[in-house]
Amino acid sequence: MSDHMIRVLTLDGAIRVSVASTTVLVEEIRRRQQTDPTASVAIGRLATAAALMGSLLKGQQRVGLTIEGNGPLQRLQAETNAHGQVRATLKVASAGLPPRDERYDVAGAIGHAGFLHVVKDLDLKEPYRGTVQLVSSEIAEDLAYYFTTSEQTPSSVALGVELGQHAEVVAAGGFLLQLMPEADDSKADSLTERLSKLSPTTTMLSQGLTPEAIAECILEDFPYHILGSTELTFSCSCSQRQTLKLLRSLGTEELDRLIEEDSEATVTCEYCKEVYTVKGDTLQEIRASL
């Protein structure tokens, strides 16, 4: 089954939910980044979080999530657009931490002190930027805290990544549930009770449940309709043209060093790991243009 995400709204407009399956997407990121198990779970959660936030975008809008912590992974980044095209990377690919209480120690890998940064390109003059301190470093709780405090939208977030015997991703996904201004306290209380009894997202996905079926489990007592479905894929926007633009930004001194010492430049995209090689004559042209 291909990865996809659905957007759901209750008939009274009080509750909106986005549910995503991201197993293939997260496995692709794990393969490209060559992460160890704990890092795989961490970057998989963040990539799923970005995908879910993409459900709130339209047109050419984009959103980027960055987590900076004092743990061994240091920095994690994920980006998406309104069309379900996601990419993610992390500064250090190996957390090197043993499991804690039979779970991957994502909080320890990220660090218990740090920040979640959210940047939204909404086709305005300046992008929206929001930052919150990490509250648990488990990513789901941190994103829910961001929505509740920075956007004043009470939210519940679930993110999960399950690995197989060979550390491959066998199940990944999550959901984003938000209360709209129309929601009253009784609906919030009912949802809280419902969510407390819900199985983990990866368990439901491993059992064969689709995002549509998971949405039905979440909103069992609330009539709703599906607003749309979006296919989720790994996609990177890097190119040879961007590589040349990056080299121009280095300045004359660094370009002179590359020409003299290496005679060519090799640039590796941090997201997809595609390698771009720029020959010496092209470097000379860039240098001359400066």
Side-chain angles (χ1 to χ4, degrees), residues 214-263:
I214 294 174
E216 189 173 343
C217 293
I218 297 170
L219 297 173
E220 186 177 51
D221 303 321
F222 301 93
Y224 65 90
H225 59 277
I226 297 177
L227 300 177
S229 176
T230 303
E231 183 180 0
L232 299 174
T233 59
F234 177 88
S235 178
C236 190
S237 57
C238 69
S239 65
Q240 184 77 8
R241 183 178 180 180
Q242 285 187 325
T243 301
L244 298 179
K245 185 177 179 181
L246 172 65
L247 290 171
R248 286 191 184 94
S249 70
L250 294 179
T252 56
E253 290 186 11
E254 183 63 19
L255 282 171
D256 286 339
R257 187 195 65 78
L258 285 172
I259 294 169
E260 182 179 349
E261 297 181 7
D262 303 323
S263 74

Side-chain angles (χ1 to χ4, degrees), residues 36-43 45 67 69-74 76 90 92-113 134 136-139 141-142 161 163:
D36 75 354
T38 303
S40 297
V41 174
I43 195 63
R45 288 183 188 177
I67 288 181
N70 62 351
L73 297 183
Q74 299 184 30
L76 302 86
L90 65 178
V92 180
S94 178
L97 295 177
R100 174 176 292 185
D101 299 328
E102 299 183 351
R103 297 178 68 241
Y104 293 109
D105 188 9
V106 171
I110 290 174
H112 295 282
L134 299 176
S136 73
S137 299
E138 294 284 353
I139 303 180
E141 293 88 344
D142 304 297
V161 177
L163 304 182

